[in-house]
RNA sequence: GGGCCGGUGGUCUAGCGGCUAUGACGCCGCCCUUACGAGGCGGAGGUCGGGGGUUCGAGUCCCCCCCGGCCCA
């Protein structure tokens, strides 16, 4: 048919075309959120990516999947609020800034250090924004949020003041995780564990009033000056005779021997020294056994005057020195090297110490029961369902409140001033951003004692999770846009990685519950982690980071997006392999070619009657739609991606299209049959494009705009139609097998596929006879089979 | 030590009680077909981590164990 010209002229799909379509989207402001729309609203609590370094491909894929959620909900008829924010608070940027400028934060003027951090953040932010846009995220980049903006920080402070007024905040002096390098307290959620080779030192203790010796094994000999007891397991018969006795430490101090089940008879000699504080267990044991702690480590990670001759040494130095000394004095029985799980700082990986400090705490223990109900009473829907156990496990392990003050700089300041006369804390009115370390308070009289002597500003800042844990409120207008917040409330869905359940997810639920009395979200979506080809997490130290830009250039964003969707079910980890992304690109090319072929033909009105071949493929399409929608319901894009790919590649293109080619070209006499084929081709293509639109938004919209009216992203998902669930669906497999059989047969006989062949068509395939005969050029009955 | 997830051809994956175990990528051979060599046809390659059990029948359900990943103690 010479008169048929394809609407799609380009022979190939190219990644550069994605930029073209992105420009169109921007010009049309296609994804603009309309608060006043009549549609139901759906708001997403987009994770603000941390602006501390370059994004790797795994992060890009993660965000592309969040974008798929937004697009899914739009195509289900919702008005979707998909904000974008950048996280710019906290330790990581300080650590990176120190590294880059080779400076130490505490030896640098605070104001100037903050300026350097800001510079660093601005650069990192640029990188994140450009990748996000290149990915085709349908988020609102025009009004993106920054967690260190005056507005966000004012809200953080206001929510703190509310919590304070409700009595949820208290200050306490208690042992806590402390990073000697970062010089700050850390919450349990910020502690990581690393397997490290550690010396296990066997020390001889003399039993008081006798010449007998016992041997105690310890990984922390430097804490000997702080050793206040030795324990053994009550089941351990070897040490029963020590009950009630005292032993003399190598340093000459007499301490009691006690029974406690914490002692593991199999570890070391079964005798354990209890020091203030080797680890969190020690803290508990001191409390239980009513021992008085001796604190020998200061906030710089050095031993203090209570450590006697070891004063001034770092922990590491003290350890070596004391082992040396004790060896010389004959107190060391032996030294072993064992693998020991050591708690380290999540940011700089320095081993942590347990040091008591005055810190502010936000109550969480008394809320745990209520939070558990979010899961048990199904107030929140988790995707996938089992991912709720991540949070449940964390809730079940909470045994202390959340320390929220940090001795750092680049974070939201704690809005408190202390009266110079009575020393009591005074908080300002919520609503403004306060910086007590450099500003005068907005009041001059102490409400506690009435003094006007003046105030001292608090110097500490908040844990960065204090800012991020209110993201669903800030995004949705809490305090800064009351009208919007009233309509939206807290976000509907939280998408995030499984690695920050105990921090971001938990703290958000906690704080939003404290502020609003309600669950922060209706849906929580937890994704797995993107790993390298060998299944390892990507990190600078391993040197296995895959960057997204080269992939964008070679295969485009859609290939990367589709790859992420098709690689693993929601919640499972997935590996990133360039070879497979190249494979996805081939599929996109296939989709392009299929569309180009169909674009040759005009799209007629729906004809009265379909042929059995058309009804078969429409029945297949019904199934594809049903299966895909099941995935979309759960925000799991694995099934839609794979189901549609399989359908297009293995069914629609090689079989249906081949069968109806002649009809499509108009080379059959029956006009109705021509129309039926053309209509069906277009209908299936439209449906496929719509089903793929959330996953591969560029190519689908590009094709759509070339062939049809408007944007595919303004369409709703296709729906299955009952009238197409016909008996022909069951014959489809037979039909395809027969096609393959004929192709094979011709090949075996050395025939061209266009050569006529004489064979019998199986009786059950009779309904498809016309199309089969034309496809294979079957000439009459007989012969063949 | 506990929890969660996983272990299916070289790699990745589907199947979650029923004919001969799915598909993709890769590999090998052949063909030439006008939307597409990014095509078509064919092929090699698997004791479905191991062991017990339930069942007429088990990758599929149950128990134990091993291995890997993540989280926690």
């Amino acid at each position: 048919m010479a008169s048929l010209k394809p609407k799609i002229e380009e022979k190939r799909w190219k990644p550069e075309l994605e930029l073209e379509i992105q420009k169109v989207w921007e010009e049309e402001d296609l994804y603009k959120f309309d608060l006043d729309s009549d549609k139901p609203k759906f708001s997403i609590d987009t994770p603000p990516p941390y602006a501390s370094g370059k994004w790797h491909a795994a992060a890009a894929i993660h965000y592309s999947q969040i974008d798929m959620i937004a697009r899914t909900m739009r195509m289900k008829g919702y008005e979707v609020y998909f904000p974008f924010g950048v996280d710019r608070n906290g330790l990581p940027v300080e650590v990176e800034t120190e590294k880059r400028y080779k400076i130490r934060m505490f030896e640098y003027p605070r104001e100037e250090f903050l300026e350097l951090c800001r510079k660093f953040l601005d650069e990192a932010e640029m990188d994140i924004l450009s990748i996000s846009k290149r990915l085709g995220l349908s988020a609102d980049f025009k009004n993106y949020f920054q967690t260190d903006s005056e507005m966000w920080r004012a809200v953080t402070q206001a929510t703190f003041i509310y919590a304070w007024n409700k009595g949820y905040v208290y200050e306490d002096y208690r042992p806590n995780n402390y990073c000697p390098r970062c010089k700050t307290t850390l919450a349990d959620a910020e502690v990581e564990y690393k397997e490290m080779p550690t010396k296990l030192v066997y020390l001889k203790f003399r039993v008081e009033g006798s010449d007998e010796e016992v041997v105690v094994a310890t990984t922390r000999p430097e804490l000997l000056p702080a050793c206040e007891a030795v324990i053994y397991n009550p089941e351990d018969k070897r040490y029963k005779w020590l009950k009630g006795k005292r032993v003399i430490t190598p340093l000459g101090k007499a301490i009691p021997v006690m029974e406690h089940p914490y002692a593991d008879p199999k570890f070391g000699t079964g005798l354990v020294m209890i020091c203030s504080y080797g680890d969190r267990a020690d803290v508990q044991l001191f409390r239980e056994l009513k021992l008085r702690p001796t604190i020998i480590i200061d906030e710089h990670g050095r031993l203090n005057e209570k450590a006697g001759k070891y004063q001034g040494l770092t922990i590491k130095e003290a350890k070596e020195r004391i082992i040396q000394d004790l060896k010389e004095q004959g107190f060391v029985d032996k030294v072993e090297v064992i693998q020991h799980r050591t708690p380290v700082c999540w940011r700089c990986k320095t081993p942590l110490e347990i040091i008591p400090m005055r810190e502010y705490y936000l109550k969480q223990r008394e809320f745990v029961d209520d939070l558990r109900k979010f899961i048990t009473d199904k107030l929140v829907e988790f995707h996938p369902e089992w991912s709720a156990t991540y949070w449940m496990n964390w809730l079940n392990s909470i045994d202390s409140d959340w320390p929220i003050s940090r001795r750092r700089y680049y974070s939201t300041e704690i809005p408190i001033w202390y009266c110079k006369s009575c020393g009591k804390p005074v908080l300002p009115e919520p609503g403004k951003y306060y910086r007590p370390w450099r500003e005068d308070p907005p009041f001059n009289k102490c409400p506690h004692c009435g003094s006007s002597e003046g105030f001292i500003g608090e110097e500490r800042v908040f844990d960065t999770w204090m800012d991020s844990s209110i993201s669903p409120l800030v995004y949705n207008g809490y305090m800064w846009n009351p009208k919007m917040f009233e309509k939206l409330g807290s976000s509907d869905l939280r998408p995030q990685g499984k690695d920050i359940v105990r921090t971001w997810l938990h703290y958000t639920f906690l704080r939003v519950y404290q502020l609003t009395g309600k669950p922060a979200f209706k849906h929580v979506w937890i994704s797995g982690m993107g790993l390298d080809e060998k299944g390892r997490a990507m990190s600078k130290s391993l040197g296995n980071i895959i960057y997204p830009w080269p992939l964008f250039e070679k295969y485009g964003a859609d290939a990367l997006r589709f790859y992420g969707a098709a690689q693993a079910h929601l919640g499972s980890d997935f590996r990133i392999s360039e070879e497979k992304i190249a494979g996805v690109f081939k599929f996109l090319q296939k989709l392009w070619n299929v569309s180009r072929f169909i674009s040759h033909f005009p799209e007629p009105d729906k004809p009265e009657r379909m042929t059995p071949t058309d009804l078969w493929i429409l029945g297949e399409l019904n199934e594809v739609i049903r299966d895909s929608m099941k995935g979309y319901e759960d925000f799991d894009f694995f099934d839609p991606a794979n189901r549609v790919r399989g359908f297009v590649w293995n069914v629609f293109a090689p079989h249906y299209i081949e069968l109806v080619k002649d009809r499509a070209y108009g080379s059959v006499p029956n006009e109705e049959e021509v129309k039926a084929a053309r209509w069906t081709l277009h209908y299936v293509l439209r449906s496929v494009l719509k089903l793929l639109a959330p996953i591969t938004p560029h190519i689908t919209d590009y094709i759509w705009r070339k062939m049809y009216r408007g944007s595919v992203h303004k369409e709703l998902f296709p729906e299955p139609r009952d009238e197409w669930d016909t008996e022909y669906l069951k014959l489809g497999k037979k039909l395809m097998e027969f096609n393959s059989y004929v192709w094979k047969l011709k090949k075996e006989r050395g025939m061209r596929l266009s050569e006529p062949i004489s064979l019998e068509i199986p009786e059950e395939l009779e309904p498809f006879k016309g199309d089969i005969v034309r496809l294979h050029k079957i000439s009459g009955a007989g012969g063949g089979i």
Side-chain angles (χ1 to χ4, degrees):
Chain A
M1 289 287 115
S3 63
L4 293 172
K5 277 225 180 79
K7 286 189 179 164
I8 294 174
E9 285 163 19
E10 303 91 326
K11 290 212 160 173
R12 302 169 65 104
W13 168 250
K14 295 195 185 81
E16 303 93 84
L17 297 178
E18 292 184 344
L19 301 174
E20 234 174 76
I21 192 85
Q22 283 179 4
K23 227 176 112 194
V24 174
W25 294 343
E26 209 173 324
E27 280 161 15
E28 292 178 359
D29 212 354
L30 189 65
Y31 307 111
K32 191 180 160 50
F33 170 67
D34 179 9
L35 184 63
D36 300 316
S37 147
D38 295 333
K39 295 180 190 171
K41 310 285 179 299
F42 189 83
S43 57
I44 296 174
D45 184 21
T46 317
Y50 202 93
S52 79
K54 286 193 187 310
W55 262 13
H56 46 61
I61 287 174
H62 184 224
Y63 276 84
S64 75
Q65 302 204 334
I66 295 168
D67 181 57
M68 292 175 206
I69 296 174
R71 293 175 182 279
T72 298
M73 292 311 283
R74 281 196 204 98
M75 294 191 75
K76 285 172 80 173
Y78 288 83
E79 184 71 24
V80 175
Y81 180 53
F82 184 20
F84 200 79
V86 181
D87 189 7
R88 298 168 46 110
N89 281 321
L91 261 177
V93 65
E94 294 172 339
V95 174
E96 289 299 324
T97 303
E98 286 184 317
K99 260 195 236 160
R100 173 190 283 195
Y101 297 101
K102 298 194 170 54
I103 52 174
R104 299 299 298 265
M105 185 177 84
F106 291 111
E107 294 157 7
Y108 215 77
R110 184 161 180 169
E111 193 75 56
E112 287 168 40
F113 186 79
L114 295 181
E115 204 40 60
L116 292 179
C117 288
R118 226 164 272 138
K119 230 173 106 183
F120 181 90
L121 287 164
D122 288 342
E123 285 169 33
E125 185 177 287
M126 289 283 288
D127 186 62
I128 285 169
L129 283 172
S130 56
I131 290 178
S132 300
K133 287 179 184 166
R134 183 62 190 83
L135 272 171
L137 299 195
S138 57
D140 185 359
F141 292 109
K142 284 186 191 139
N143 312 297
Y144 73 90
F145 293 77
Q146 295 174 317
T147 59
D148 63 346
S149 68
E150 273 204 25
M151 183 277 279
W152 195 305
R153 285 186 168 177
V155 179
T156 301
Q157 292 182 333
T159 55
F160 168 77
I161 296 165
Y162 296 148
W164 177 284
N165 292 339
K166 282 189 181 167
Y168 298 158
V169 179
Y170 63 94
E171 196 181 22
D172 195 15
Y173 179 77
R174 70 167 69 147
N176 239 318
N177 309 302
Y178 185 86
C179 174
R181 201 214 74 91
C182 300
K183 298 198 176 11
T184 188
T185 296
L186 297 175
D188 292 347
E190 293 170 297
V191 177
E192 282 183 9
Y193 292 84
K194 229 170 102 184
E195 204 71 45
M196 293 199 215
T198 309
K199 280 182 183 162
L200 181 63
V201 185
Y202 289 74
L203 297 175
K204 295 179 198 161
F205 285 45
R206 194 165 56 77
V207 180
E208 192 180 40
S210 84
D211 290 334
E212 300 210 57
E213 276 181 354
V214 289
V215 177
V216 181
T218 178
T219 56
R220 302 293 305 269
E222 71 276 16
L223 290 179
L224 205 50
C227 179
E228 299 296 343
V230 166
I231 60 167
Y232 64 90
N233 193 299
E235 306 285 306
D236 195 342
K237 297 202 175 70
R238 292 174 293 177
Y239 300 114
K240 281 283 177 202
W241 63 278
L242 283 170
K243 191 168 182 176
K245 290 194 161 55
R246 304 212 301 174
V247 291
I248 316 287
T249 74
L251 297 177
K253 186 155 89 182
I255 54 168
V257 182
M258 300 169 140
E259 281 186 349
H260 197 281
Y262 174 76
D264 177 0
K266 292 193 289 285
F267 185 81
T269 61
L271 289 175
V272 184
M273 57 186 241
I274 305 302
C275 313
S276 46
Y277 294 102
D279 56 32
R280 295 180 52 77
D282 283 343
V283 177
Q284 204 184 329
L285 287 164
F286 264 80
R287 213 179 309 146
E288 270 183 46
L289 302 172
K290 299 194 167 52
L291 300 168
R292 281 194 46 202
T294 307
I295 303 305
I296 61 162
I297 297 171
D298 69 15
E299 67 261 36
H300 304 294
R302 290 176 185 272
L303 274 63
N304 64 19
E305 72 286 351
K306 295 202 176 111
K309 63 187 265 203
Y310 302 105
Q311 179 177 2
L313 298 180
T314 66
I315 291 152
K316 225 172 143 185
E317 292 163 353
K319 178 175 286 187
E320 289 314 310
R321 182 79 66 82
I322 205 161
I323 292 174
Q324 194 57 39
D325 287 355
L326 296 177
K327 265 187 184 162
E328 281 164 17
Q329 293 159 22
F331 284 111
V332 176
D333 188 48
K334 62 175 171 176
V335 178
E336 286 174 354
V337 175
I338 57 162
Q339 284 296 319
H340 189 245
R341 243 177 130 72
T342 312
V344 298
C345 173
W346 69 291
R347 216 48 235 183
C348 68
K349 314 295 176 200
T350 305
L352 299 179
E353 293 301 328
I354 309 279
I355 298 179
M357 299 273 243
R358 284 203 82 80
E359 300 291 1
Y360 280 108
Y361 290 83
L362 184 67
K363 291 181 183 171
Q364 65 173 347
R365 279 179 299 183
E366 59 197 70
F367 295 94
V368 166
D369 286 340
D370 288 357
L371 295 179
R372 267 198 209 100
K373 287 200 186 112
F374 290 5
I375 302 174
T376 55
D377 295 359
K378 302 211 184 301
L379 303 178
V380 180
E381 200 178 320
F382 280 79
H383 309 268
E385 214 177 331
W386 53 262
S387 66
T389 55
Y390 289 131
W391 188 33
M392 188 52 104
N393 289 343
W394 181 244
L395 285 172
N396 290 339
S397 73
I398 285 174
D399 60 0
S400 59
D401 289 327
W402 174 16
I404 52 172
S405 46
R406 296 285 181 277
R407 291 152 202 281
R408 302 294 298 180
Y409 290 173
Y410 205 95
S411 282
T412 303
E413 290 82 353
I414 298 177
I416 298 178
W417 280 267
Y418 301 91
C419 171
K420 274 186 184 163
S421 170
C422 69
K424 286 191 177 152
V426 185
L427 278 69
E429 286 299 311
K432 255 191 72 197
Y433 172 42
Y434 300 101
R435 285 175 292 176
W437 60 276
R438 49 166 291 185
E439 285 169 7
D440 288 331
F443 40 77
N444 41 40
K445 220 169 134 187
C446 173
H448 303 292
C449 67
S451 157
S452 311
E453 263 181 61
F455 297 86
I456 299 168
E458 170 64 64
E459 294 204 344
R460 283 171 292 175
V461 297
F462 285 121
D463 177 359
T464 158
W465 296 110
M466 278 292 278
D467 300 279
S468 8
S469 58
I470 52 168
S471 57
L473 304 180
V474 177
Y475 279 148
N476 289 10
Y478 185 74
M479 285 182 66
W480 62 273
N481 188 342
K483 182 190 149 209
M484 178 162 150
F485 188 69
E486 195 182 313
K487 281 200 177 178
L488 296 181
S490 183
S491 299
D492 292 303
L493 179 140
R494 154 66 61 82
Q496 64 163 74
K498 66 181 187 184
D499 52 335
I500 48 175
V501 167
R502 59 182 168 147
T503 48
W504 196 34
L505 185 68
H506 168 68
Y507 288 146
T508 308
F509 271 126
L510 173 71
R511 295 204 63 217
V512 172
Y513 183 60
Q514 288 180 345
L515 288 161
T516 69
K518 284 186 267 188
F521 316 104
K522 297 185 193 81
H523 301 271
V524 172
W525 180 91
I526 304 285
S527 76
M529 313 301 286
L531 309 170
D532 76 356
E533 253 168 314
K534 294 185 183 123
R536 303 168 306 181
M538 290 187 200
S539 73
K540 267 190 204 157
S541 55
L542 278 172
N544 61 347
I545 296 179
I546 301 169
Y547 288 103
W549 281 113
L551 299 174
F552 288 153
E553 270 160 38
K554 270 167 109 169
Y555 313 108
D558 278 359
L560 191 62
R561 295 172 61 114
F562 187 101
Y563 174 78
Q567 193 52 23
H569 269 292
L570 176 58
S572 309
D573 294 344
F574 57 93
R575 298 177 186 199
I576 295 170
S577 125
E578 181 169 342
E579 204 179 66
K580 293 228 176 112
I581 294 170
V584 170
F585 186 68
K586 284 187 193 173
F587 167 65
L588 296 181
Q589 211 57 256
K590 184 80 188 175
L591 178 68
W592 181 261
N593 283 321
V594 166
S595 306
R596 197 168 100 86
F597 172 71
I598 297 174
S599 83
H600 283 84
F601 314 110
E603 185 180 23
D605 292 334
K606 187 167 182 273
E608 289 293 306
R609 292 185 52 211
M610 299 291 173
T611 73
T613 313
D614 306 324
L615 287 169
W616 159 62
I617 201 69
L618 291 167
E620 291 275 2
L621 179 68
N622 267 356
E623 295 297 301
V624 173
I625 294 173
R626 288 191 186 105
D627 293 345
S628 303
M629 291 318 294
K630 260 186 239 154
Y632 279 125
E633 288 299 324
D634 203 23
F635 306 118
D636 182 349
F637 308 104
F638 182 91
D639 281 333
N642 285 300
R643 195 68 175 83
V644 177
R645 173 167 58 179
F647 170 72
V648 171
W649 213 326
N650 303 321
V651 180
F652 184 57
H655 293 281
Y656 179 76
I657 288 186
E658 295 297 337
L659 280 164
V660 304
K661 240 176 203 174
D662 279 7
R663 283 202 278 140
Y665 278 121
S667 41
V668 299
N670 186 331
E671 198 53 38
E672 269 298 292
E673 288 188 2
V674 172
K675 273 167 78 178
R678 289 179 175 174
W679 186 86
T680 306
L681 284 169
H682 281 285
Y683 188 84
V684 172
L685 179 61
R686 280 175 179 270
S687 303
V688 162
L689 292 176
K690 287 190 269 194
L691 284 176
L692 287 175
I695 299 168
T696 52
H698 302 90
I699 189 171
T700 51
D701 203 30
Y702 197 96
I703 294 170
W704 187 277
R705 284 168 190 264
K706 286 265 178 197
M707 294 178 62
Y708 309 117
R709 212 157 288 157
S711 165
V712 71
H713 301 305
K714 290 285 182 194
E715 298 288 319
L716 296 177
F717 278 124
E719 280 174 23
R721 297 206 197 171
D722 295 343
E723 75 255 35
W724 294 335
D725 293 329
T726 66
E727 72 220 74
Y728 300 122
L729 179 59
K730 279 180 238 139
L731 289 175
K733 209 178 164 205
K734 293 259 167 24
L735 176 59
M736 292 189 280
E737 278 168 6
F738 181 73
N739 285 339
S740 295
Y741 163 76
V742 179
W743 285 323
K744 189 177 161 187
L745 194 66
K746 286 190 173 177
K747 182 179 152 58
E748 280 166 5
R749 296 185 182 172
M751 299 166 69
R752 306 167 137 256
L753 290 187
S754 51
E755 251 177 89
I757 186 168
S758 161
L759 53 72
E760 204 116 11
I761 296 168
E763 200 176 327
E764 51 188 347
L765 298 181
E766 196 63 23
F768 309 111
K769 190 174 174 190
D771 288 327
I772 292 177
V773 165
R774 282 186 294 270
L775 166 59
H776 299 298
K777 310 272 187 299
I778 294 174
S779 59
I785 308 179

